[in-house]
Amino acid sequence: MAQTDLYKVLGVDRKASSEDIKKAHRKLVRQYHPDRNPGDAKAEERFKEIQAAYDVLSDPDKRKQYDRGGFAGIGGRPGGAGTGPGGFGGFDAGGFGDILSNLFGGGTSGGRETRRGPSSTRGNDLEAEVTIGFDQAVDGAQIPLSVPTSERCATCHGTGARPGTAPKVCPRCNGRGLESQGQGLFSISQPCTRCNGAGTVIEDPCPTCQGNGAVRTVKRYRVNIPAGVREGSRVRLAGKGEAGRNGGPPGDLYVITHVQDSPVFKQKGENVEVEVPLTIPEAIRGAEVEVPTLHGRKTLRVPPGTKHGTVQRLRGEGPPHLDGRGRGDIHYRFVIDVPASLSDEQSEAVEKLSQVINGNPRAKLFAQAGEGRAS
Ligand SMILES: [Zn+2]
Ligand SMILES: [Zn+2]
């Protein structure tokens, strides 16, 4: 059973100065460090307790809180005895889990990977781009995707230290990851300049990753692009970004979709538009015309006297909405197809037509303009 009096863990008096605490801690670390006690689980457990106790007592704020309310004072020790590994399960106050996961290769110390302290960082988000066809954007698609990223170094299991060695507790900050500058009221804590806040330093770096703990790699995915994406849509793949450091969560992967233009369907917001040519007689007399839909054909009734540019909508026949609820529309824009040249026969027919449809549709322009000036 772990001792719950942090002062007893470090073997110091409740009134010990911060210098006394530092000294006691240093001595105990030397004695119980896993490097000195390979394979000794008891020493390892003791070492964890020492680090946890030091984490609290070396920080004046946490120490004050602890003095006031014991474990409850520092963010709550859940439920009393025996709840966490070594009785320290509630300690999230900073750095402890991270130091351990550094020292013991991460994840080996009883689910502490989820612990987050100042030195655990979320992995970076990644961005990748894919180009898909118009049909794939409408229907959704599985797209193979290669993403350059980093992953935990297999040689050192992410510690960054040469196999057989381990990162050492940082001598500058004693594992806190922070150092204070200034005095009294005006002291500022900032990430340790020696270890960059990790709390540990690597004296003998891993030859594979040069001490990074991570190596560059290319991850290959088959990405499900949802139906309804458009040019520039961002598809988020949670947790597929870069790996987190020191037990931090991974970042996300954002896939930006580029959609090839369709020669027929033009994207207009959440709808698509299709230009439908009509012959002059069809526009004049009306007609039933076949038009393409996203997945087949439909017949539209063109009313007599349809003007150039008239739009007919087919509701709900457009691309699906990205949220999965409903679809956009297809807008059919009628354009009157005017032949660039005429055969003799057509020329004759147009001549005849011009004799019977021969008013001056522009007359009213002048009439209305004249009225405007007169009034
Ligand atoms: Zn390595
Ligand atoms: Zn440091």
Side-chain angles (χ1 to χ4, degrees), residues 152-163 205-215:
R152 201 164 81 151
C153 172
T155 306
C156 62
H157 304 290
T159 65
R162 184 182 288 275
C206 164
T208 307
C209 63
Q210 280 82 42
N212 279 324
V215 289

Side-chain angles (χ1 to χ4, degrees), residues 1-9 46 49 71 77 86-88:
M1 199 69 228
Q3 292 195 61
T4 50
D5 185 332
L6 301 185
Y7 291 97
K8 277 190 191 153
V9 170
R46 181 93 172 90
E49 291 178 13
F71 285 99
R77 175 174 183 244
F88 286 91

Side-chain angles (χ1 to χ4, degrees), residues 8-361:
K8 277 190 191 153
V9 170
L10 292 184
V12 294
D13 191 79
R14 287 187 79 87
K15 289 183 200 116
S17 71
S18 63
E19 198 51 44
D20 292 340
I21 288 172
K22 211 180 272 178
K23 265 187 218 155
H25 172 248
R26 216 171 293 153
K27 200 181 120 206
L28 290 168
V29 163
R30 271 200 294 274
Q31 190 176 345
Y32 290 101
H33 197 284
D35 280 358
R36 296 206 166 195
N37 304 276
D40 183 343
K42 264 191 187 159
E44 181 182 320
E45 199 53 40
R46 181 93 172 90
F47 181 73
K48 289 182 200 176
E49 291 178 13
I50 291 159
Q51 293 296 67
Y54 183 70
D55 182 55
V56 174
L57 297 183
S58 63
D59 181 317
D61 288 339
K62 285 184 204 163
R63 185 179 176 187
K64 233 178 271 171
Q65 274 178 309
Y66 173 71
D67 287 344
R68 228 177 286 141
F71 285 99
I74 41 176
R77 175 174 183 244
T83 45
F88 286 91
F91 273 77
D92 207 358
F96 176 40
D98 306 314
I99 294 168
L100 288 178
S101 59
N102 271 340
L103 290 172
F104 303 121
T108 55
S109 48
R112 286 193 192 274
E113 258 181 336
T114 54
R115 290 275 176 272
R116 296 185 204 159
S119 60
S120 94
T121 43
R122 182 176 177 275
N124 290 327
D125 289 339
L126 294 175
E127 223 173 63
E129 301 186 21
V130 296
T131 300
I132 56 176
F134 179 82
D135 294 346
Q136 293 177 305
V138 167
D139 295 335
Q142 261 203 355
I143 303 291
L145 181 65
S146 299
V147 184
T149 181
S150 64
E151 67 180 1
R152 201 164 81 151
C153 172
T155 306
C156 62
H157 304 290
T159 65
R162 184 182 288 275
T165 71
K168 303 276 188 296
V169 171
C170 172
R172 188 178 179 91
C173 62
N174 287 306
R176 288 180 58 213
L178 293 171
E179 56 184 326
S180 302
Q181 283 194 343
Q183 295 286 317
L185 277 177
F186 298 104
S187 75
I188 317 165
S189 284
Q190 59 179 60
C192 171
T193 49
R194 173 82 197 274
C195 63
N196 291 320
T200 55
V201 290
I202 292 157
E203 282 165 353
D204 195 359
C206 164
T208 307
C209 63
Q210 280 82 42
N212 279 324
V215 289
R216 304 303 299 173
T217 181
V218 175
K219 283 260 166 70
R220 289 184 174 79
Y221 297 113
R222 289 195 69 81
V223 179
N224 283 315
I225 303 292
V229 294
R230 296 184 219 161
E231 174 62 32
S233 293
R234 279 159 69 88
V235 179
R236 178 170 165 264
L237 301 179
K240 298 290 191 211
E242 280 192 353
R245 289 197 11 232
N246 300 329
D252 299 331
L253 170 62
Y254 288 91
V255 180
I256 294 164
T257 55
H258 295 294
V259 180
Q260 286 166 339
D261 286 337
S262 158
V264 174
F265 300 95
K266 304 270 178 280
Q267 193 83 42
K268 299 273 175 180
E270 57 189 28
N271 307 311
V272 291
E273 189 175 280
V274 180
E275 228 173 55
V276 182
L278 298 177
T279 65
I280 294 168
E282 281 171 338
I284 294 171
R285 289 192 299 211
E288 301 213 320
V289 297
E290 248 189 354
V291 292
T293 64
L294 292 177
H295 297 111
R297 298 168 174 218
K298 283 238 158 127
T299 301
L300 293 184
R301 207 186 64 79
V302 179
T306 291
K307 291 192 162 84
H308 185 89
T310 303
V311 173
Q312 256 189 51
R313 291 176 175 80
L314 278 182
R315 294 203 187 280
E317 292 283 336
H321 294 152
L322 248 189
D323 64 8
R325 273 183 284 178
R327 308 176 72 102
D329 305 333
I330 304 183
H331 295 180
Y332 294 97
R333 179 178 295 275
F334 296 121
V335 293
I336 294 168
D337 202 28
V338 179
S341 63
L342 295 174
S343 67
D344 288 350
E345 199 183 358
Q346 289 168 331
S347 204
E348 234 171 81
V350 171
E351 178 57 34
K352 271 187 191 158
L353 188 65
S354 73
Q355 283 165 17
V356 289
I357 301 183
N358 59 0
N360 183 356

